[in-house]
Amino acid sequence: MRLLKLVCLCFLAHVFAKEPPLKGETTRVGKPGKKRAECQFGKEFREIGSSWYLDLGPPFGVMYCMKCECLPDRKKRRILGRVHCRNIKHECPVPTCEEPILPPGRCCKVCPENLISTPDIVQDAAPSEEDERSLKYFAALLTGRTSQILDRDELTNYKRFQQESVATGRFVFHRRSLYYSFYSTSRPRGIQFLDLQGNILEEHVIPANTSYQNATGKICGVWKRVPRDYRKLMREEKMVVSLLWDRPELTLGGQLFRYRALSSELYSALLEGGDEGAGGSAIISVASSAPSIHITLLFNGVFTPEDVADVPLNLKIVNPEKGHIVIDEIIKIEKPSNELNTIEFSSVVTANDLKLLSKQKLTVILSSKHSELKLAGPIVTRVACQLMQSTLSYQSDLDSGNSIHDYPVTLASGLSWMFVDKEGFLQYTVQLHGIDEVAVVTLGSVASKKFMELEDLTPTLKNGWANGTLDRLSPKYLEQLYAGDLGINVGTPNNPSLIRGKLVPRIVAEARNAPAPIFLMRPNVSTYANNTGLIWAFFDADCNLHYEVMITGQVSADESLQLFIEDIPFIAPGAPVTRKLLEEFVGLNMEGTTVGLSQDELLRLEAGVVYFDIRSSKTGATILKGHWKQVSVPSSCLPHFSDNDVPTINFNSDPSNGNIIEGSGACYHGSRFHDDGSQWTSTVDHCTMCNCVHSRVRCDPILCPPVQCSSPTMQDGECCPSCGNNIQEISAGASRGCHLGDQLFPPGARWHPYLPPNGFDSCAICSCNATTLEVRCPRVECPPLVCEEKAAIRPDKKACCKVCPTNLSTTKSPILSEAASEEKMPQQRLDTDVIAAGGCKYPVGGPYENGAEWHPRVYSHGEVKCVKCRCKDGKVKCERKRCGRWSCNDECCASKCQKRRRRESKIREARLRSSRRNLSQF
């Protein structure tokens, strides 16, 4: 029990680690911090108000008596999530029966007659369909006047900024997530969601512009896992959104309100002008069958202090270039508000007016009849961040639900995505695969069973890619585009509808911030016929990986699938593969986030070749696979190195958490990968042997054994001299010889064995018997030493036997005088020869030969005679002269002797004082 409590405490200490701090506080250099308005438990996020059981994982599993909750923790004006876990066993009621039972998934024992299937903890259920509809669409107007609801003390400091800025936002709630889109006259740095009391519920930092946001001029994002209490605030229209700029006083805020017109919005307008801190936003819907237009206008700032009731306003929609007036109406406001006013208006228009609307030639003007105050702004395509995407397969949009036998076996597939830019033009991209014939790519309507061609995209098709920009769509086709009734058709001369796909609208957030989706293709034509898919993948500033998957083809809606991410260092023979399980899912669409990736994993992903692999959970077979060519990891997420450091990429990985590893510990050398523990002959120099140990390569030149003949010869292609008469040559393709490891030696050959990771063993000599082809590797017998073992040295670093220093004719002793050394050393050896023979490098006076002794020199003090250094086998060891108790006459020991005498004198005096005190007591 104590061990279990200790394990729980260690686990809780890990999962309750302090969250990353806000900007200004950092956990490590280079990585941005963030305080979340939710709880992170392990590698999962929990919304405020949720509860769950403590899961320790294998072998302990779920602890049903440990209840964890994500509680709101107020820090000044900010509400953060805090994990609190407690034991609920003592809260269990006492059973009234004699033999209670413990049901599975429960903490408390109950009587059999009171057994119910519900667990002790009720998990937070997903919003119902009715809840989703009631929370579906919201809009907000952000001006200086609407910002007054923030009730900030420094309001006067940024009033001038608010007079010149205005913004509008659109919000869509879907599956506990709130997707937001903003259009502003200047780009902010952050977004806050608040309640009416000014408490910060959630805060997001706006990342650098992505390709979509650059092209559209919009600000896109998502607030995931909106807590239940905050959803209640949205339903009651008591939530506020605020845009933040670099300076604290630069802030715009506005309240979220529901508007029915947002479900059919095609165009929007941002209005500026009017009184101080004024602005407006228009929601415009169009009916193209019976040409008409519907406008919902949010505004303020066109009233004077005298305007109290029944204020007449003039609403105009005009073409400023031609002076053409489309709408000119007088509308009365019964009770004008200083913060926000709303009017709705519908009018019949002409087909030519709708054409001007689609070309963004019209402007909305709202003015007061009592003053010269007015608001004006051009009409553009709607503010919401959306793109349209499609996978292309054999009539995938018409044949959904067919069996595998209904699909023709074809390699043709593709994908497409497009969006409307800030000027209203349609930017499109189409990628094709497996089509060898001349293809025709068209955009058309799939609202009916027959494909109605709208635009021919073939002129931009080149090398399987079609990229371009189409003119502004008319309101009719723009409505079909946002409704998902447009599609892409690819045909050939033999098949006019080879592959086809319906363009599905998707909200842009997180994963779709990537510059392009990844094309998922089946590995071969014989399995999972007609499958295709795409995946968006994106790393955010917090180093989390976001991904969204879309699959079409022969995959049942209830089949369990697994999404893996693979990284290979680079494509080469024998390259290792590290495969990590991201998520297991059911269905054709999936959206997820992976947190907690280590810096080593992120470094491998950025430096290697990355694939997404979707496999069947039942069979393990690959269904779809795609190459992620543009992996972009924020620099703050990668390990930082100094100027002279080189990052080492380790291909090993932790097999826990579903990771599957293939080829771990491999080494790259000679344009290919080699397995861990293997050895090979270098492709650059055949007289060099290499080995791989724990992802590190070591190469050593072949060490030649001594020959046993007086006149050895060097054969062509050989690395060592040999006695040619004793060695039989091995002809090409012959197998006669001695095998040792992966090497083949000719009969009669002698060699030192190669033993990774230490290299060649000079203390053993192997031989291949010319008759029996047996390999023997006896150890070398070293001759007896005539000196002490401590004084013996190795003449070479790789030498097997030690020798006495007196046996070396070239040994010198630097302690001798220069004259004596000149007499005993008539020939000076080169420094490189000294080092190669086991000598030692030394900054002053070196190098010294193996076995030499000397006193070190210090530039400021000269020779230090009390220290003696010795070189042995390439290593220098210096020792100070040891002083005995009676060596005070030695100059090296005099100072120590004096210190010892002073210390002993103080001890004697202390003892004497102590004895005198004892005598005085008597």
Side-chain angles (χ1 to χ4, degrees):
M1 190 64 183
R2 290 182 178 179
L3 177 61
L4 182 60
K5 289 183 178 179
L6 179 61
V7 172
C8 295
L9 289 175
C10 294
F11 180 81
L12 293 175
H14 171 70
V15 298
F16 298 160
K18 185 179 179 180
E19 289 294 328
L22 282 173
K23 187 176 181 181
E25 306 170 4
T26 54
T27 55
R28 69 181 180 202
V29 177
K31 183 172 180 178
K34 178 183 178 182
K35 287 187 177 179
R36 298 182 178 274
E38 57 186 352
C39 298
Q40 183 175 355
F41 191 82
K43 294 186 178 181
E44 295 183 357
F45 290 107
R46 304 278 184 169
E47 65 184 57
I48 293 178
S50 62
S51 58
W52 65 94
Y53 295 116
L54 177 63
D55 187 0
L56 295 180
F60 301 100
V62 180
M63 303 184 66
Y64 293 102
C65 288
M66 291 296 295
K67 179 182 179 181
C68 297
E69 299 174 287
C70 181
L71 304 177
D73 188 14
R74 190 182 303 274
K75 301 290 186 181
K76 296 182 179 180
R77 293 178 50 247
R78 189 183 306 274
I79 298 178
L80 305 176
R82 177 175 57 87
V83 176
H84 175 70
C85 293
R86 58 188 176 90
N87 194 332
I88 60 174
K89 189 174 182 62
H90 63 279
E91 302 177 9
C92 295
V94 179
T96 58
C97 57
E98 295 183 356
E99 297 183 356
I101 60 175
L102 181 63
R106 298 288 297 273
C107 173
C108 304
K109 290 185 177 182
V110 296
C111 297
E113 59 271 15
N114 298 331
L115 180 63
I116 56 176
S117 59
T118 57
D120 296 334
I121 296 179
V122 179
Q123 302 291 340
D124 188 16
S128 61
E129 293 185 3
E130 182 178 355
D131 194 13
E132 285 268 0
R133 285 194 297 269
S134 66
L135 294 174
K136 191 68 174 178
Y137 299 104
F138 294 84
L141 175 65
L142 292 80
T143 65
R145 293 174 179 267
T146 59
S147 299
Q148 295 179 13
I149 60 175
L150 301 179
D151 192 23
R152 296 180 183 269
D153 297 334
E154 66 273 14
L155 179 64
T156 56
N157 296 334
Y158 61 91
K159 182 176 292 186
R160 181 178 179 182
F161 168 76
Q162 294 175 339
Q163 294 173 8
E164 302 172 355
S165 298
V166 62
T168 184
R170 302 291 186 267
F171 306 86
V172 179
F173 182 81
H174 180 64
R175 294 183 180 178
R176 294 187 183 178
S177 297
L178 183 64
Y179 297 86
Y180 55 80
S181 309
F182 287 95
Y183 183 72
S184 174
T185 52
S186 60
R187 186 173 180 82
R189 69 163 181 86
I191 299 173
Q192 286 182 345
F193 291 91
L194 310 95
D195 58 15
L196 294 181
Q197 287 72 40
N199 297 313
I200 302 175
L201 310 178
E202 179 77 359
E203 183 175 14
H204 292 174
V205 176
I206 298 177
N209 288 349
T210 62
S211 56
Y212 175 86
Q213 298 185 40
N214 282 335
T216 59
K218 302 174 183 177
I219 301 169
C220 313
V222 59
W223 177 8
K224 289 191 174 182
R225 299 171 295 275
V226 180
R228 182 169 42 198
D229 294 341
Y230 298 169
R231 297 199 295 267
K232 182 179 179 182
L233 292 179
M234 292 170 53
R235 187 181 298 108
E236 297 174 354
E237 297 182 338
K238 295 181 179 179
M239 184 175 288
V240 178
V241 64
S242 176
L243 299 181
L244 310 176
W245 276 260
D246 292 331
R247 293 167 54 189
E249 65 270 14
L250 306 185
T251 307
L252 283 178
Q255 204 164 342
L256 275 67
F257 294 99
R258 286 194 299 269
Y259 296 96
R260 291 177 298 174
L262 289 170
S263 60
S264 58
E265 181 183 18
L266 287 185
Y267 300 94
S268 306
L270 185 62
L271 283 63
E272 300 177 83
D275 201 358
E276 293 182 355
S281 178
I283 304 171
I284 302 174
S285 305
V286 173
S288 56
S289 56
S292 63
I293 187 171
H294 179 85
I295 302 176
T296 300
L297 194 60
L298 327 174
F299 68 96
N300 56 30
V302 292
F303 305 115
T304 61
E306 292 77 18
D307 296 332
V308 179
D310 294 334
V311 180
L313 299 178
N314 185 204
L315 175 62
K316 291 184 180 180
I317 297 181
V318 300
N319 180 5
E321 297 180 359
K322 304 290 185 178
H324 173 64
I325 299 177
V326 177
I327 294 177
D328 188 359
E329 294 289 338
I330 301 296
I331 302 174
K332 287 188 177 182
I333 301 296
E334 296 181 359
K335 296 181 179 180
S337 171
N338 184 55
E339 293 184 0
L340 187 65
N341 302 272
T342 304
I343 59 175
E344 293 191 16
F345 178 78
S346 298
S347 176
V348 177
V349 294
T350 64
N352 185 55
D353 294 336
L354 291 185
K355 187 176 181 180
L356 293 174
L357 181 65
S358 65
K359 293 185 177 297
Q360 299 189 8
K361 300 287 187 180
L362 301 182
T363 299
V364 178
I365 302 175
L366 183 67
S367 58
S368 172
K369 300 296 290 183
H370 293 170
S371 65
E372 297 181 355
L373 298 176
K374 71 175 182 178
L375 299 171
I379 298 178
V380 297
T381 53
R382 65 180 183 180
V383 174
C385 298
Q386 275 189 315
L387 59 78
M388 281 54 67
Q389 64 184 30
S390 172
T391 57
L392 307 178
S393 57
Y394 178 74
Q395 296 184 351
S396 59
D397 58 322
L398 302 180
D399 294 341
S400 58
N402 290 359
S403 66
I404 186 173
H405 304 289
D406 298 327
Y407 292 101
V409 178
T410 175
L411 284 174
S413 59
L415 62 83
S416 175
W417 72 97
M418 56 186 63
F419 60 87
V420 180
D421 62 16
K422 65 178 68 177
E423 303 296 333
F425 297 104
L426 186 63
Q427 297 190 14
Y428 65 87
T429 302
V430 181
Q431 181 182 356
L432 304 179
H433 174 73
I435 302 178
D436 299 329
E437 304 176 76
V438 178
V440 177
V441 184
T442 54
L443 170 68
S445 173
V446 294
S448 60
K449 291 185 177 181
K450 185 177 180 180
F451 184 85
M452 302 294 295
E453 181 179 338
L454 177 61
E455 291 286 346
D456 186 7
L457 312 181
T458 310
T460 61
L461 181 63
K462 185 178 180 181
N463 298 326
W465 289 84
N467 299 278
T469 302
L470 296 180
D471 198 3
R472 301 179 180 95
L473 298 177
S474 66
K476 174 184 177 181
Y477 292 113
L478 187 63
E479 184 179 9
Q480 291 186 3
L481 177 69
Y482 287 130
D485 291 333
L486 293 185
I488 298 292
N489 182 80
V490 181
T492 62
N494 298 325
N495 189 345
S497 296
L498 179 63
I499 55 176
R500 182 183 299 176
K502 180 185 292 186
L503 291 166
V504 181
R506 297 292 184 186
I507 304 174
V508 176
E510 290 186 336
R512 292 189 185 90
N513 282 325
I518 302 156
F519 192 12
L520 299 176
M521 298 178 288
R522 60 187 185 276
N524 55 67
V525 71
S526 61
T527 59
Y528 291 93
N530 210 52
N531 278 347
T532 186
L534 61 85
I535 179 171
W536 297 86
F538 180 76
F539 281 102
D540 63 14
D542 294 323
C543 313
N544 301 326
L545 173 61
H546 305 276
Y547 44 85
E548 299 180 25
V549 181
M550 176 181 177
I551 302 174
T552 57
Q554 190 265 323
V555 178
S556 59
D558 57 349
E559 183 175 359
S560 179
L561 304 175
Q562 293 177 322
L563 175 64
F564 291 90
I565 186 170
E566 297 179 350
D567 67 277
I568 308 172
F570 44 94
I571 300 299
V577 177
T578 301
R579 185 180 300 116
K580 182 181 181 66
L581 177 63
L582 296 182
E583 191 166 344
E584 189 167 350
F585 64 99
V586 176
L588 303 180
N589 296 277
M590 185 267 292
E591 179 179 349
T593 301
T594 297
V595 301
L597 291 173
S598 65
Q599 287 188 335
D600 290 339
E601 289 176 315
L602 296 173
L603 183 62
R604 287 205 314 266
L605 291 176
E606 189 185 56
V609 179
V610 182
Y611 288 91
F612 282 101
D613 188 7
I614 297 181
R615 300 192 173 200
S616 171
S617 301
K618 183 178 181 180
T619 64
T622 296
I623 300 176
L624 294 170
K625 194 169 186 177
H627 182 193
W628 189 5
K629 299 180 180 179
Q630 300 179 5
V631 183
S632 179
V633 181
S635 59
S636 59
C637 301
L638 300 175
H640 296 276
F641 304 95
S642 58
D643 295 338
N644 58 347
D645 285 344
V646 178
T648 300
I649 301 176
N650 183 15
F651 302 111
N652 296 318
S653 183
D654 184 6
S656 61
N657 301 325
N659 291 357
I660 301 175
I661 307 156
E662 299 177 1
S664 60
C667 299
Y668 182 76
H669 184 267
S671 301
R672 63 161 294 132
F673 278 88
H674 302 271
D675 295 334
D676 187 18
S678 63
Q679 55 178 287
W680 63 95
T681 303
S682 174
T683 57
V684 179
D685 182 7
H686 74 282
C687 292
T688 300
M689 290 293 297
C690 301
N691 65 81
C692 173
V693 176
H694 301 312
S695 303
R696 294 180 179 273
V697 176
R698 173 176 173 174
C699 294
D700 298 282
I702 291 179
L703 184 63
C704 297
V707 294
Q708 297 178 342
C709 55
S710 58
S711 57
T713 59
M714 181 74 75
Q715 303 291 335
D716 294 339
E718 297 293 332
C719 301
C720 295
S722 60
C723 300
N725 297 333
N726 298 332
I727 298 180
Q728 304 175 14
E729 295 184 2
I730 298 179
S731 60
S735 60
R736 176 176 170 77
C738 297
H739 291 270
L740 186 63
D742 296 332
Q743 294 179 284
L744 177 63
F745 297 92
R750 299 173 72 251
W751 68 94
H752 288 294
Y754 188 64
L755 305 176
N758 298 321
F760 288 96
D761 185 5
S762 61
C763 293
I765 298 179
C766 298
S767 61
C768 176
N769 190 292
T771 304
T772 62
L773 299 181
E774 292 181 352
V775 177
R776 295 188 61 190
C777 300
R779 303 292 294 178
V780 175
E781 294 184 4
C782 297
L785 298 171
V786 296
C787 59
E788 295 182 2
E789 176 70 22
K790 184 178 180 180
I793 62 174
R794 298 184 187 276
D796 185 83
K797 287 184 178 181
K798 295 184 179 180
C800 178
C801 299
K802 293 182 178 181
V803 298
C804 295
T806 56
N807 296 339
L808 296 177
S809 60
T810 57
T811 302
K812 68 177 182 179
S813 177
I815 299 180
L816 301 176
S817 63
E818 295 182 1
S821 64
E822 289 179 359
E823 293 177 0
K824 294 188 177 183
M825 291 188 55
Q827 183 178 359
Q828 188 76 16
R829 298 177 63 187
L830 296 176
D831 293 349
T832 55
D833 297 336
V834 173
I835 299 300
C840 303
K841 294 182 179 180
Y842 200 75
V844 181
Y848 295 102
E849 293 193 6
N850 196 359
E853 295 181 350
W854 69 96
H855 294 304
R857 288 181 174 272
V858 180
Y859 287 110
S860 58
H861 296 81
E863 188 177 62
V864 183
K865 295 184 178 182
C866 297
V867 176
K868 181 181 292 186
C869 297
R870 186 169 183 266
C871 173
K872 185 175 181 180
D873 301 332
K875 295 183 179 180
V876 177
K877 184 177 181 181
C878 297
E879 295 181 349
R880 179 176 291 276
K881 186 175 182 178
R882 296 183 180 181
C883 299
R885 184 177 181 84
W886 310 107
S887 58
C888 294
N889 295 329
D890 193 329
E891 60 178 352
C892 295
C893 302
S895 59
K896 287 190 175 181
C897 188
Q898 292 176 0
K899 291 180 181 178
R900 184 170 60 252
R901 287 177 177 176
R902 286 195 296 267
R903 184 169 61 253
E904 292 176 351
S905 177
K906 290 180 180 179
I907 293 175
R908 286 195 300 268
E909 291 177 0
R911 290 177 179 175
L912 182 60
R913 286 195 297 269
S914 177
S915 61
R916 288 176 179 175
R917 284 196 300 269
N918 294 334
L919 291 175
S920 63
Q921 294 178 0
F922 293 100

